[in-house]
Amino acid sequence: MSILVTGGAGFIGSNFVLDWLAQENEPVVNLDRLTYAGNLENLSSLEGDARHIFVRGDIGDAALVPSLLALHKPRAILNFAAESHVDRSIHGPGEFIQTNIVGTFHLLESARAYWNGLDGDDQRRFRFVHVSTDEVYGSLAPQAPAFNETHRYEPNSPYSASKAASDHLVRAYHHTYGLPVLTTNCSNNYGPYHFPEKLIPLCILNALAGKPLPIYGDGLQVRDWLYVKDHCSAIRRVLQSGLVGETYNVGGWSEKTNLEVVQMLCDILDEVRPLNPASGEWQVGSGKDSPSLSTAHSLLPTYRSLITYVADRPGHDRRYAIDAGKIERELGWKPKETFESGIRKTVRWYLDNQRWVANVMSGAYREWCERHYGK
Ligand code: NAD
Ligand code: DAU
């Protein structure tokens, strides 16, 4: 028995693979194209572990995927692979259409052919789990109830529109062909191995480097944050006990404005890595309201002085919030971390993993991949 994970070198996929192999003995075939977001260094602790079979390739490869399915005979496919960054989708939607829509279509076709060829029990047991996002539901008014699974789809960015299209294809493959699919729609994740162009890692790393912490618009947009390991446990639970054809919303009941998130990061950093103006590590005081390095002790700079308002994201969704009631009631899943505990672990992880950070920032992790895994 094995499972096929796509996008398993990305942020959530690599956390999923690591957690899976820490808890199960069942091998993982990890298919990842290694775009800018794929980083095999996330999986370096699995080097030499025969249960992790990494294959560099595209979910849309209609020759490679069927051959992998025929060779490894997985009992499930978990589809994490996607272009995932909203800002990149605004600059260039093409890759999003290609991977998230066309790629998912080809993956579904490969899965359907494979599933059709399975015998009795293997066919009954097979599952296709599609990992999707709350962004497909669009933006919520301030007092509106959180998204539940019947909320209509109203995607607003090329990214969310492409994920919405993939969700619809997955649904159609169940209704039309009977493919045993399950879909999860999760809120914003954070935690280890988060690529530093997303808000939380960006702000941790910028703060440590004394760079501005860019807040889009007024910073009062709301996101509902979930620690990545909790997302992984929800996906495992859906694979194990979810009802075929159903969708499950996954979230942490943890709505925060972007400004609150960044201020919390600053306050934690003030506590665990206080600024020392004497060290000359970085200079604050470029803005007229920021304290200068020569101010009295009571005015020692804090990380909050780095917060900088910048132009808003075009079409920026104002609020996301997930009603996770269904997965809690029906599958007994609950997140383990609160935002307060998860964000502390995350800050600690970035402080403790400076080599990972340096490699990602310099692009050297690409050389690392070539060196350790060849092509
Ligand atoms: P990520 O960008 O960090 O990782 C995506 C991975 O997919 C990368 O390793 C990349 O190399 C790989 N990939 C991209 N195109 C591919 C292709 N054509 N074939 C094979 N591999 C390909 O993304 P993430 O944040 O880990 O998100 C994973 C999934 O979870 C995505 O489907 C995303 O939509 C969904 N999701 C993310 C969040 C979040 O907060 N990050 C929340 C909810 C849902
Ligand atoms: O809601 C789930 C989604 O969360 C996932 O589907 C996406 O794959 C994932 O990238 C994430 O999307 P967001 O756009 O919400 O994440 P990001 O970290 O890019 O931004 C979080 C919020 O912070 C958002 O409101 C935009 C804002 N932001 C972001 C950046 C990078 C800033 O204010 N400044 C920034 O520099």
Side-chain angles (χ1 to χ4, degrees):
M1 300 276 266
S2 65
I3 60 168
L4 173 67
V5 166
T6 73
F11 163 47
I12 304 173
S14 60
N15 275 286
F16 182 87
V17 170
L18 291 170
D19 286 3
W20 179 272
L21 291 175
Q23 294 174 33
E24 318 275 341
N25 244 334
E26 189 174 1
V28 175
V29 182
N30 182 352
L31 172 67
D32 194 298
R33 199 179 117 201
L34 296 182
T35 67
Y36 77 93
N39 183 356
L40 282 177
E41 196 174 350
N42 301 0
L43 300 162
S44 58
S45 61
L46 297 177
E47 218 175 318
D49 188 331
R51 298 171 306 159
H52 180 231
I53 301 143
F54 181 78
V55 180
R56 185 173 191 174
D58 197 310
I59 55 168
D61 188 329
L64 172 68
V65 177
S67 72
L68 283 178
L69 294 171
L71 180 66
H72 297 287
K73 300 193 174 22
R75 69 168 172 104
I77 298 174
L78 295 105
N79 184 30
F80 295 83
E83 288 294 331
S84 72
H85 191 184
V86 175
D87 293 322
R88 284 185 183 248
S89 83
I90 295 168
H91 289 291
E95 283 288 327
F96 290 73
I97 306 303
Q98 202 50 45
T99 283
N100 300 0
I101 306 179
V102 181
T104 302
F105 157 69
H106 285 299
L107 183 66
L108 283 164
E109 278 292 84
S110 301
R112 179 164 77 96
Y114 169 67
W115 173 72
N116 274 328
L118 292 174
D119 303 322
D121 270 356
D122 287 345
Q123 193 177 67
R124 261 192 303 281
R125 249 199 321 254
F126 182 77
R127 297 286 182 270
F128 184 102
V129 178
H130 179 60
V131 179
S132 192
T133 170
D134 59 359
E135 299 207 13
V136 297
Y137 299 125
S139 190
L140 281 172
Q143 304 306 327
F147 301 125
N148 65 23
E149 288 78 0
T150 59
H151 195 283
R152 70 187 255 207
Y153 271 38
E154 291 179 319
N156 290 320
S157 72
Y159 162 68
S160 54
S162 66
K163 289 296 290 187
S166 69
D167 294 7
H168 290 323
L169 284 169
V170 169
R171 175 189 161 88
Y173 270 63
H174 175 62
H175 283 267
T176 305
Y177 305 115
L179 189 71
V181 306
L182 301 118
T183 297
T184 56
N185 292 91
C186 186
S187 61
N188 282 64
N189 284 213
Y190 66 99
Y193 306 113
H194 206 177
F195 197 73
E197 66 187 20
K198 306 279 177 84
L199 179 72
I200 288 181
L202 177 84
C203 286
I204 297 172
L205 299 181
N206 276 14
L208 291 172
K211 293 183 184 161
L213 310 180
I215 300 278
Y216 295 162
D218 61 7
L220 301 182
Q221 306 83 2
V222 172
R223 296 292 182 266
D224 183 353
W225 294 94
L226 180 70
Y227 191 61
V228 63
K229 305 277 180 196
D230 282 325
H231 187 189
C232 295
S233 74
I235 294 167
R236 285 200 306 276
R237 184 65 58 86
V238 166
L239 172 64
Q240 185 185 22
S241 329
L243 284 183
V244 162
E246 290 292 314
T247 67
Y248 296 92
N249 281 358
V250 184
W253 305 103
S254 194
E255 290 183 59
K256 300 262 179 277
T257 67
N258 293 337
L259 190 57
E260 282 172 328
V261 168
V262 175
Q263 287 175 337
M264 271 180 85
L265 288 174
C266 290
D267 297 350
I268 295 169
L269 284 170
D270 280 335
E271 193 188 310
V272 301
R273 184 62 62 91
L275 288 167
N276 175 7
S279 76
E281 271 180 25
W282 58 271
Q283 302 277 317
V284 285
S286 50
K288 71 176 168 45
D289 296 330
S290 311
S292 81
L293 293 181
S294 58
T295 48
H297 199 68
S298 60
L299 286 178
L300 281 182
T302 65
Y303 286 99
R304 285 191 186 204
S305 61
L306 293 170
I307 291 176
T308 306
Y309 292 90
V310 299
D312 208 350
R313 171 186 281 174
H316 200 170
D317 284 336
R318 198 65 185 166
R319 176 176 167 237
Y320 303 141
I322 277 282
D323 176 347
K326 177 177 172 182
I327 189 170
E328 293 185 357
R329 274 190 316 278
E330 297 184 9
L331 305 185
W333 172 86
K334 268 201 188 316
K336 283 211 172 92
E337 302 293 340
T338 62
F339 188 69
E340 288 66 25
S341 63
I343 200 70
R344 277 185 178 275
K345 283 189 177 177
T346 304
V347 170
R348 189 75 261 157
W349 189 88
Y350 280 91
L351 287 171
D352 291 346
N353 286 275
Q354 287 296 311
R355 212 180 61 175
W356 182 91
V357 169
N359 286 344
V360 168
M361 305 297 261
S362 69
Y365 73 90
R366 296 196 174 282
E367 290 162 30
W368 188 97
C369 298
E370 301 264 337
R371 225 179 26 252
H372 287 268
Y373 292 87
K375 271 202 166 171

